[in-house]
Each structure stands twice: as structure tokens, then as C-alpha cells.
Amino acid sequence: MRLYGVVGWKNAGKTGLMERLVTEITGRGFTVSTVKHAHHSFDVDHPGKDSFRHRNAGASEVLLASRNRIALMQELRGAEEPPLSALLGRLSPVDLVLIEGYKRDAHPKVEAHRAVTGNPLIAPDDPTIRAVASATPLTLDRPVFDLDDTVAIADFILAEVGL
């Protein structure tokens, strides 16, 4: 499975870049799935809905299915968070999986960076970051793209993964 990550600190532009990359790469005829890491508790279900009631009653997994989509919710109930490799094994085959977050994992990545956030670059200390997409010009030992140059960033990623 071909993987490429988008990492960066909060408000660096990761999600916007991910969204634009998915649109650009799928527009070229490739299939793309995404994985998003959250550092906080989140819920995709709401109180009162049947699936919420099933989870709240103690179900370990709740599969919600319709003719338009399938959602599988799994409750860890105190178990360790699964590693990225285990999560990737649950995905259906696609041309490319784009991963938002998981900055400490070993897959290749592009760092989204906005100097106005006041956060330092991650890239200088991380060889898995193969390029930086920045809102301001930078001089680094690896490619630097304009954060909004989605076409060039997509070209770079697709070349890196051999697509």
C-alpha cells in the first residue's frame, strides 16, 4: 500500500492541504483513502441515535450501513490505541493512502507550515519529512513548496510513491 503523510503543528494548514490533495489526486483518476489522527476524544455519533444507544449499551463494535455508506465504530473501552499499521490493515485497497498526523511514524511525509503560528519546523529533525509546504519562503535541505501550490505538491507525492 502506498502511503504519504501530511504533518504539522495545529493551524499549520494540514486539513486544508489534505482536502486539496484528495481532490487533485482523485481528479487524476487515482483512488485515495485517508487516515486522520485525533489527539482528543471525538464522536461521530450522537445521543438518541440507535447506533449511539448500541455503543452506550456496551457494544464493542457498531456497524451502521446504508446504500450510501458504511461506518464501523469500535470502542476501545480502555484498550491501547491501535498502531497506524493495524489501522491501515483495515482499509480496502486503493492507489494511495494519505495520512494526516502520525508525525512520529516512519512513512514519508510533507510538513505543512505557517510561520504565523509561531511553531518551529519539524522537518530539520525528521528525515521522514521529504518536503515542506509553507505559507512563507524557506531555505531547507529538501524541497519547499508554496502551501497553496496543490498541483506541485501532488506531483511531488505521486512521483515519490511511484504513481
Side-chain angles (χ1 to χ4, degrees):
M1 189 175 296
R2 292 174 173 101
L3 310 173
Y4 220 89
V6 174
V7 297
W9 301 112
K10 185 176 180 177
N11 297 320
K14 297 179 303 292
T15 302
L17 179 56
M18 284 280 292
E19 182 180 13
R20 294 189 313 274
L21 286 170
V22 170
T23 299
E24 177 66 27
I25 295 169
T26 59
R28 297 182 189 194
F30 295 107
T31 55
V32 176
S33 289
T34 65
V35 175
K36 161 74 171 123
H37 188 253
H39 291 283
H40 46 78
S41 180
F42 66 92
D43 211 337
V44 295
D45 209 2
H46 303 286
K49 296 292 185 182
D50 293 351
S51 53
F52 179 91
R53 293 171 62 190
H54 295 182
R55 281 190 310 123
N56 200 44
S60 296
E61 295 185 328
V62 176
L63 182 73
L64 183 59
S66 75
R67 63 186 171 129
N68 296 319
R69 85 185 37 90
I70 298 169
L72 176 60
M73 292 172 279
Q74 298 177 317
E75 290 294 318
L76 295 179
R77 304 217 184 272
E80 290 290 318
E81 179 180 348
L84 177 60
S85 58
L87 299 174
L88 293 170
R90 298 177 184 179
L91 294 176
S92 299
V94 292
D95 295 317
L96 177 64
V97 177
L98 290 173
I99 302 163
E100 182 177 343
Y102 291 95
K103 66 178 162 271
R104 291 178 179 85
D105 283 63
H107 58 278
K109 305 166 191 77
V110 61
E111 178 179 356
H113 178 72
R114 286 193 176 120
V116 297
T117 66
N119 292 311
L121 278 168
I122 302 166
D125 298 320
D126 187 344
T128 68
I129 296 176
R130 309 277 305 187
V132 174
S134 177
T136 55
L138 299 170
T139 302
L140 293 173
D141 62 348
R142 62 202 83 190
V144 177
F145 299 96
D146 183 290
L147 183 58
D148 294 322
D149 193 350
T150 308
V151 171
I153 299 166
D155 288 343
F156 177 80
I157 291 171
L158 292 173
E160 284 267 294
V161 300
L163 289 175

